[in-house]
mmCIF file of all heavy atoms in Angstrom:
data_model
loop_
_atom_site.group_PDB
_atom_site.id
_atom_site.type_symbol
_atom_site.label_atom_id
_atom_site.label_comp_id
_atom_site.label_asym_id
_atom_site.label_seq_id
_atom_site.Cartn_x
_atom_site.Cartn_y
_atom_site.Cartn_z
ATOM 1 N N GLU B 40 -8.001 21.112 -22.108
ATOM 2 C CA GLU B 40 -7.336 19.874 -22.095
ATOM 3 C C GLU B 40 -6.475 19.608 -20.747
ATOM 4 O O GLU B 40 -6.385 18.588 -20.272
ATOM 5 C CB GLU B 40 -6.424 19.668 -23.328
ATOM 6 C CG GLU B 40 -7.134 19.557 -24.607
ATOM 7 C CD GLU B 40 -7.686 20.912 -25.095
ATOM 8 O OE1 GLU B 40 -7.081 22.023 -24.610
ATOM 9 O OE2 GLU B 40 -8.654 20.972 -25.782
ATOM 10 N N SER B 41 -5.903 20.775 -20.325
ATOM 11 C CA SER B 41 -5.127 20.607 -19.091
ATOM 12 C C SER B 41 -6.010 20.335 -17.939
ATOM 13 O O SER B 41 -5.702 19.526 -17.022
ATOM 14 C CB SER B 41 -4.388 22.028 -18.873
ATOM 15 O OG SER B 41 -3.769 22.073 -17.629
ATOM 16 N N VAL B 42 -7.175 20.974 -17.893
ATOM 17 C CA VAL B 42 -8.150 20.754 -16.800
ATOM 18 C C VAL B 42 -8.561 19.231 -16.864
ATOM 19 O O VAL B 42 -8.629 18.618 -15.850
ATOM 20 C CB VAL B 42 -9.413 21.677 -16.976
ATOM 21 C CG1 VAL B 42 -10.500 21.194 -15.954
ATOM 22 C CG2 VAL B 42 -8.961 23.082 -16.809
ATOM 23 N N ALA B 43 -8.808 18.678 -17.995
ATOM 24 C CA ALA B 43 -9.169 17.274 -18.106
ATOM 25 C C ALA B 43 -8.068 16.393 -17.696
ATOM 26 O O ALA B 43 -8.318 15.357 -17.000
ATOM 27 C CB ALA B 43 -9.533 16.930 -19.628
ATOM 28 N N ALA B 44 -6.793 16.725 -18.032
ATOM 29 C CA ALA B 44 -5.713 15.943 -17.542
ATOM 30 C C ALA B 44 -5.522 16.055 -16.062
ATOM 31 O O ALA B 44 -5.252 15.029 -15.418
ATOM 32 C CB ALA B 44 -4.372 16.431 -18.271
ATOM 33 N N LEU B 45 -5.772 17.191 -15.456
ATOM 34 C CA LEU B 45 -5.667 17.378 -14.029
ATOM 35 C C LEU B 45 -6.744 16.504 -13.360
ATOM 36 O O LEU B 45 -6.334 15.833 -12.347
ATOM 37 C CB LEU B 45 -5.852 18.905 -13.677
ATOM 38 C CG LEU B 45 -5.916 19.254 -12.233
ATOM 39 C CD1 LEU B 45 -4.518 19.000 -11.623
ATOM 40 C CD2 LEU B 45 -6.362 20.714 -12.003
ATOM 41 N N GLU B 46 -7.855 16.566 -13.799
ATOM 42 C CA GLU B 46 -9.012 15.700 -13.092
ATOM 43 C C GLU B 46 -8.776 14.252 -13.321
ATOM 44 O O GLU B 46 -9.033 13.468 -12.418
ATOM 45 C CB GLU B 46 -10.309 16.094 -13.700
ATOM 46 C CG GLU B 46 -10.674 17.642 -13.320
ATOM 47 C CD GLU B 46 -11.955 18.023 -13.943
ATOM 48 O OE1 GLU B 46 -12.494 17.287 -14.811
ATOM 49 O OE2 GLU B 46 -12.544 19.128 -13.551
ATOM 50 N N TRP B 47 -8.270 13.844 -14.430
ATOM 51 C CA TRP B 47 -7.883 12.426 -14.684
ATOM 52 C C TRP B 47 -6.802 12.003 -13.798
ATOM 53 O O TRP B 47 -6.875 10.906 -13.147
ATOM 54 C CB TRP B 47 -7.540 12.178 -16.178
ATOM 55 C CG TRP B 47 -7.571 10.707 -16.574
ATOM 56 C CD1 TRP B 47 -8.474 10.083 -17.200
ATOM 57 C CD2 TRP B 47 -6.434 9.837 -16.384
ATOM 58 N NE1 TRP B 47 -8.091 8.714 -17.443
ATOM 59 C CE2 TRP B 47 -6.789 8.629 -16.890
ATOM 60 C CE3 TRP B 47 -5.143 9.896 -15.780
ATOM 61 C CZ2 TRP B 47 -6.037 7.431 -16.884
ATOM 62 C CZ3 TRP B 47 -4.343 8.773 -15.737
ATOM 63 C CH2 TRP B 47 -4.756 7.597 -16.299
ATOM 64 N N ALA B 48 -5.800 12.816 -13.618
ATOM 65 C CA ALA B 48 -4.608 12.508 -12.796
ATOM 66 C C ALA B 48 -4.986 12.434 -11.367
ATOM 67 O O ALA B 48 -4.509 11.496 -10.554
ATOM 68 C CB ALA B 48 -3.540 13.466 -13.002
ATOM 69 N N ALA B 49 -5.914 13.272 -10.895
ATOM 70 C CA ALA B 49 -6.259 13.379 -9.456
ATOM 71 C C ALA B 49 -7.105 12.061 -9.181
ATOM 72 O O ALA B 49 -6.906 11.445 -8.129
ATOM 73 C CB ALA B 49 -7.173 14.564 -9.228
ATOM 74 N N GLU B 50 -7.957 11.731 -10.134
ATOM 75 C CA GLU B 50 -8.784 10.477 -9.892
ATOM 76 C C GLU B 50 -7.800 9.250 -9.873
ATOM 77 O O GLU B 50 -8.085 8.359 -9.081
ATOM 78 C CB GLU B 50 -9.843 10.260 -10.980
ATOM 79 C CG GLU B 50 -10.714 9.054 -10.822
ATOM 80 C CD GLU B 50 -11.726 8.916 -11.875
ATOM 81 O OE1 GLU B 50 -11.558 9.675 -12.989
ATOM 82 O OE2 GLU B 50 -12.652 8.082 -11.692
ATOM 83 N N GLU B 51 -6.846 9.195 -10.740
ATOM 84 C CA GLU B 51 -5.920 8.020 -10.811
ATOM 85 C C GLU B 51 -5.079 8.033 -9.488
ATOM 86 O O GLU B 51 -4.976 6.944 -8.972
ATOM 87 C CB GLU B 51 -4.952 8.327 -12.037
ATOM 88 C CG GLU B 51 -4.036 7.077 -12.273
ATOM 89 C CD GLU B 51 -4.754 5.971 -12.769
ATOM 90 O OE1 GLU B 51 -5.998 6.135 -13.213
ATOM 91 O OE2 GLU B 51 -4.150 4.816 -12.845
ATOM 92 N N ALA B 52 -4.641 9.210 -8.994
ATOM 93 C CA ALA B 52 -3.872 9.138 -7.792
ATOM 94 C C ALA B 52 -4.803 8.658 -6.617
ATOM 95 O O ALA B 52 -4.323 7.953 -5.775
ATOM 96 C CB ALA B 52 -3.407 10.626 -7.472
ATOM 97 N N GLN B 53 -6.057 9.034 -6.627
ATOM 98 C CA GLN B 53 -6.967 8.635 -5.543
ATOM 99 C C GLN B 53 -7.168 7.089 -5.556
ATOM 100 O O GLN B 53 -7.165 6.429 -4.651
ATOM 101 C CB GLN B 53 -8.251 9.387 -5.630
ATOM 102 C CG GLN B 53 -9.243 9.079 -4.510
ATOM 103 C CD GLN B 53 -10.357 10.054 -4.454
ATOM 104 O OE1 GLN B 53 -10.289 11.112 -3.791
ATOM 105 N NE2 GLN B 53 -11.424 9.769 -5.180
ATOM 106 N N LEU B 54 -7.315 6.605 -6.867
ATOM 107 C CA LEU B 54 -7.517 5.194 -7.061
ATOM 108 C C LEU B 54 -6.390 4.321 -6.588
ATOM 109 O O LEU B 54 -6.479 3.290 -6.047
ATOM 110 C CB LEU B 54 -7.900 4.841 -8.559
ATOM 111 C CG LEU B 54 -9.322 5.319 -8.990
ATOM 112 C CD1 LEU B 54 -9.381 5.158 -10.491
ATOM 113 C CD2 LEU B 54 -10.405 4.473 -8.304
ATOM 114 N N ARG B 55 -5.271 4.839 -6.906
ATOM 115 C CA ARG B 55 -3.936 4.085 -6.610
ATOM 116 C C ARG B 55 -3.360 4.480 -5.278
ATOM 117 O O ARG B 55 -2.276 3.987 -4.902
ATOM 118 C CB ARG B 55 -2.995 4.363 -7.744
ATOM 119 C CG ARG B 55 -3.331 3.753 -9.093
ATOM 120 C CD ARG B 55 -2.319 4.160 -10.188
ATOM 121 N NE ARG B 55 -2.635 3.584 -11.479
ATOM 122 C CZ ARG B 55 -1.985 2.564 -11.986
ATOM 123 N NH1 ARG B 55 -0.968 1.998 -11.352
ATOM 124 N NH2 ARG B 55 -2.358 2.179 -13.209
ATOM 125 N N ALA B 56 -4.013 5.325 -4.511
ATOM 126 C CA ALA B 56 -3.563 5.711 -3.138
ATOM 127 C C ALA B 56 -2.067 6.362 -3.322
ATOM 128 O O ALA B 56 -1.239 5.969 -2.572
ATOM 129 C CB ALA B 56 -3.509 4.543 -2.201
ATOM 130 N N ARG B 57 -1.872 7.213 -4.268
ATOM 131 C CA ARG B 57 -0.678 7.919 -4.535
ATOM 132 C C ARG B 57 -0.854 9.409 -4.286
ATOM 133 O O ARG B 57 -1.981 9.945 -4.547
ATOM 134 C CB ARG B 57 -0.236 7.646 -6.004
ATOM 135 C CG ARG B 57 -0.070 6.248 -6.310
ATOM 136 C CD ARG B 57 1.376 5.799 -5.978
ATOM 137 N NE ARG B 57 1.613 4.347 -6.435
ATOM 138 C CZ ARG B 57 2.844 3.786 -6.427
ATOM 139 N NH1 ARG B 57 3.865 4.531 -6.123
ATOM 140 N NH2 ARG B 57 2.950 2.483 -6.738
ATOM 141 N N PRO B 58 0.180 10.085 -3.929
ATOM 142 C CA PRO B 58 0.104 11.565 -3.910
ATOM 143 C C PRO B 58 0.114 12.092 -5.358
ATOM 144 O O PRO B 58 0.531 11.480 -6.261
ATOM 145 C CB PRO B 58 1.469 11.960 -3.151
ATOM 146 C CG PRO B 58 2.338 10.803 -3.397
ATOM 147 C CD PRO B 58 1.529 9.623 -3.532
ATOM 148 N N LEU B 59 -0.443 13.363 -5.452
ATOM 149 C CA LEU B 59 -0.503 14.041 -6.678
ATOM 150 C C LEU B 59 0.505 15.227 -6.794
ATOM 151 O O LEU B 59 0.465 16.030 -5.736
ATOM 152 C CB LEU B 59 -1.902 14.515 -7.071
ATOM 153 C CG LEU B 59 -2.085 15.287 -8.333
ATOM 154 C CD1 LEU B 59 -1.937 14.326 -9.567
ATOM 155 C CD2 LEU B 59 -3.458 15.957 -8.345
ATOM 156 N N GLN B 60 1.213 15.220 -7.785
ATOM 157 C CA GLN B 60 2.113 16.414 -7.959
ATOM 158 C C GLN B 60 1.637 17.241 -9.270
ATOM 159 O O GLN B 60 1.590 16.664 -10.302
ATOM 160 C CB GLN B 60 3.574 16.111 -8.108
ATOM 161 C CG GLN B 60 4.505 17.330 -8.174
ATOM 162 C CD GLN B 60 5.996 17.003 -8.155
ATOM 163 O OE1 GLN B 60 6.338 15.926 -8.713
ATOM 164 N NE2 GLN B 60 6.827 17.741 -7.501
ATOM 165 N N VAL B 61 1.357 18.527 -9.031
ATOM 166 C CA VAL B 61 0.868 19.369 -10.171
ATOM 167 C C VAL B 61 2.091 20.242 -10.593
ATOM 168 O O VAL B 61 2.640 20.991 -9.739
ATOM 169 C CB VAL B 61 -0.347 20.201 -9.693
ATOM 170 C CG1 VAL B 61 -0.878 21.060 -10.862
ATOM 171 C CG2 VAL B 61 -1.493 19.360 -9.115
ATOM 172 N N LEU B 62 2.326 20.117 -11.820
ATOM 173 C CA LEU B 62 3.573 20.781 -12.368
ATOM 174 C C LEU B 62 3.191 21.853 -13.469
ATOM 175 O O LEU B 62 2.354 21.523 -14.308
ATOM 176 C CB LEU B 62 4.461 19.761 -12.945
ATOM 177 C CG LEU B 62 5.738 20.193 -13.579
ATOM 178 C CD1 LEU B 62 6.665 20.780 -12.619
ATOM 179 C CD2 LEU B 62 6.413 19.042 -14.405
ATOM 180 N N HIS B 63 3.760 22.969 -13.332
ATOM 181 C CA HIS B 63 3.600 23.992 -14.485
ATOM 182 C C HIS B 63 4.979 24.501 -14.891
ATOM 183 O O HIS B 63 5.790 24.954 -14.091
ATOM 184 C CB HIS B 63 2.757 25.144 -13.985
ATOM 185 C CG HIS B 63 2.590 26.246 -15.023
ATOM 186 N ND1 HIS B 63 1.463 26.090 -15.962
ATOM 187 C CD2 HIS B 63 3.228 27.337 -15.334
ATOM 188 C CE1 HIS B 63 1.532 27.064 -16.768
ATOM 189 N NE2 HIS B 63 2.652 27.960 -16.379
ATOM 190 N N ALA B 64 5.267 24.229 -16.140
ATOM 191 C CA ALA B 64 6.591 24.712 -16.771
ATOM 192 C C ALA B 64 6.315 26.035 -17.473
ATOM 193 O O ALA B 64 5.369 26.160 -18.244
ATOM 194 C CB ALA B 64 7.038 23.594 -17.756
ATOM 195 N N TRP B 65 7.246 26.976 -17.206
ATOM 196 C CA TRP B 65 7.193 28.225 -17.900
ATOM 197 C C TRP B 65 8.558 28.712 -18.387
ATOM 198 O O TRP B 65 9.599 28.279 -17.835
ATOM 199 C CB TRP B 65 6.509 29.299 -17.057
ATOM 200 C CG TRP B 65 7.432 29.728 -15.840
ATOM 201 C CD1 TRP B 65 7.661 28.929 -14.708
ATOM 202 C CD2 TRP B 65 8.006 30.963 -15.911
ATOM 203 N NE1 TRP B 65 8.523 29.685 -14.050
ATOM 204 C CE2 TRP B 65 8.813 30.948 -14.614
ATOM 205 C CE3 TRP B 65 8.161 32.076 -16.573
ATOM 206 C CZ2 TRP B 65 9.577 31.975 -14.185
ATOM 207 C CZ3 TRP B 65 8.998 33.114 -16.196
ATOM 208 C CH2 TRP B 65 9.680 33.033 -14.988
ATOM 209 N N GLU B 66 8.556 29.479 -19.348
ATOM 210 C CA GLU B 66 9.807 30.009 -19.901
ATOM 211 C C GLU B 66 9.714 31.594 -19.915
ATOM 212 O O GLU B 66 8.677 32.060 -20.402
ATOM 213 C CB GLU B 66 10.184 29.482 -21.251
ATOM 214 C CG GLU B 66 10.488 28.051 -21.333
ATOM 215 C CD GLU B 66 10.903 27.585 -22.716
ATOM 216 O OE1 GLU B 66 12.158 27.790 -23.086
ATOM 217 O OE2 GLU B 66 10.097 27.056 -23.498
ATOM 218 N N TRP B 67 10.818 32.266 -19.617
ATOM 219 C CA TRP B 67 10.905 33.718 -19.739
ATOM 220 C C TRP B 67 11.098 34.022 -21.205
ATOM 221 O O TRP B 67 11.929 33.413 -21.893
ATOM 222 C CB TRP B 67 11.994 34.286 -18.873
ATOM 223 C CG TRP B 67 12.069 35.772 -18.908
ATOM 224 C CD1 TRP B 67 11.342 36.697 -18.345
ATOM 225 C CD2 TRP B 67 12.849 36.464 -19.846
ATOM 226 N NE1 TRP B 67 11.721 38.014 -18.623
ATOM 227 C CE2 TRP B 67 12.595 37.888 -19.560
ATOM 228 C CE3 TRP B 67 13.872 36.155 -20.728
ATOM 229 C CZ2 TRP B 67 13.305 38.913 -20.244
ATOM 230 C CZ3 TRP B 67 14.605 37.169 -21.376
ATOM 231 C CH2 TRP B 67 14.262 38.509 -21.204
#
Side-chain angles (χ1 to χ4, degrees):
E40 294 75 23
S41 172
V42 172
L45 177 67
E46 294 176 348
W47 193 97
E50 181 180 13
E51 187 73 9
Q53 185 167 272
L54 287 170
R55 292 178 180 252
R57 300 270 180 170
L59 178 69
Q60 183 174 38
V61 183
L62 177 68
H63 181 84
W65 72 286
E66 292 185 84
W67 180 83

